Amino acid sequence: VRDVATGWSRGSRGDGESHQRWKEKIIKILAEIQAPLSLLMLRLCNWALLKLLNRLFLNVQLHQGQLEMVLRAARTSGVPLVFLSMHKSQLDGLLLSFVLFSQGLGVPRVTVGSQVCSPRLRALLGRLGGIFLPSRTGQTPSDQDEGLPGAVLAVYVEEVLRSQQPLLIFLEEPPVALCLSAPAREWLALVYRAVRNGAVPDVLLVPMGISYDVVP
């Protein structure tokens, strides 16, 4: 990303002020995509989620065969995990993150679709591992401004995979079922691009599923 911004700066002004302006834009875009994980918030939300599950459902069942498949995939060294899941309700991200975290697989980075989130909810989800597609327009849009969010996002996905953080991509957006959503298509393209460009040698695509007797 620095190389791209430096190249654009050379095309206009290569002074320190120009570099600082690009750096501020890049940091702002990165803040739109993700936030640092908060272990305190994770523990509090896991505790609250258990209370919520006891009120919403009679029980929660894990498919032992699927869980064993996930654990076996996690033991593959040197290859990042990309979980692919259908999306039945807005609780899916929290539930699947809770299951993976409770099984010692770490906190996944969970893609959040195009649904509208309030700033507070967006900040909370970011602290719990949620990641978002950045906005594509700025105050004074130009070809350079339009390309910078895509460049930052592409490199961010490469770094997530290179550091072997689990990535959870929801393939659809409720209530539209059995249809690959536009955000999912973009996230999958970024994963494919990371492998094609050699950022990581390979990825493990692991299907996951969640179902409800009655969707909350």
Side-chain angles (χ1 to χ4, degrees):
V1 173
R2 183 178 60 233
D3 292 342
V4 173
T6 301
W8 286 341
S9 296
R10 289 198 191 104
S12 53
R13 296 165 53 196
D15 54 12
E17 182 182 348
S18 178
H19 284 283
Q20 182 63 27
R21 187 177 72 252
W22 284 114
K23 183 177 179 181
E24 291 173 356
K25 287 184 178 181
I26 291 168
I27 291 174
K28 182 179 179 181
I29 293 168
L30 185 60
E32 287 185 21
I33 298 172
Q34 61 100 49
L37 294 174
S38 170
L39 290 180
L40 176 61
M41 293 299 299
L42 284 166
R43 293 190 179 99
L44 286 175
C45 284
N46 281 338
W47 173 82
L49 187 60
L50 283 173
K51 299 292 185 182
L52 178 65
L53 293 178
N54 286 330
R55 291 181 175 273
L56 283 180
F57 307 114
L58 293 177
N59 58 63
V60 177
Q61 299 177 354
L62 291 179
H63 191 288
Q64 293 301 318
Q66 187 181 56
L67 182 59
E68 177 56 33
M69 178 190 68
V70 171
L71 294 174
R72 187 167 63 249
R75 289 193 290 268
T76 305
S77 61
V79 182
L81 296 178
V82 177
F83 298 106
L84 305 178
S85 176
M86 309 301 279
H87 205 180
K88 303 300 183 182
S89 89
Q90 302 300 342
L91 280 177
D92 291 359
L94 291 174
L95 279 170
L96 291 177
S97 294
F98 171 73
V99 170
L100 294 173
F101 183 65
S102 66
Q103 296 299 315
L105 296 177
V107 181
R109 288 294 184 173
V110 182
T111 62
V112 181
S114 59
Q115 61 264 31
V116 178
C117 295
S118 67
R120 289 185 177 181
L121 178 58
R122 188 183 180 104
L124 174 61
L125 293 177
R127 289 290 187 175
L128 298 177
I131 54 177
F132 303 80
L133 294 173
S135 58
R136 297 293 181 177
T137 57
Q139 298 296 326
T140 55
S142 65
D143 291 341
Q144 294 177 354
D145 290 331
E146 288 294 319
L148 191 59
V152 175
L153 181 63
V155 175
Y156 173 76
V157 171
E158 289 180 1
E159 289 301 317
V160 168
L161 297 175
R162 189 180 289 116
S163 61
Q164 297 190 34
Q165 297 181 62
L167 178 63
L168 171 58
I169 299 176
F170 287 109
L171 301 178
E172 58 190 11
E173 290 192 22
V176 181
L178 302 179
C179 180
L180 187 64
S181 66
R185 194 182 303 273
E186 186 163 357
W187 288 113
L188 290 171
L190 290 165
V191 172
Y192 168 74
R193 176 178 170 181
V195 176
R196 184 193 63 190
N197 292 346
V200 289
D202 200 0
V203 295
L204 275 178
L205 301 180
V206 182
M208 298 186 72
I210 186 168
S211 61
Y212 305 90
D213 290 335
V214 178
V215 178

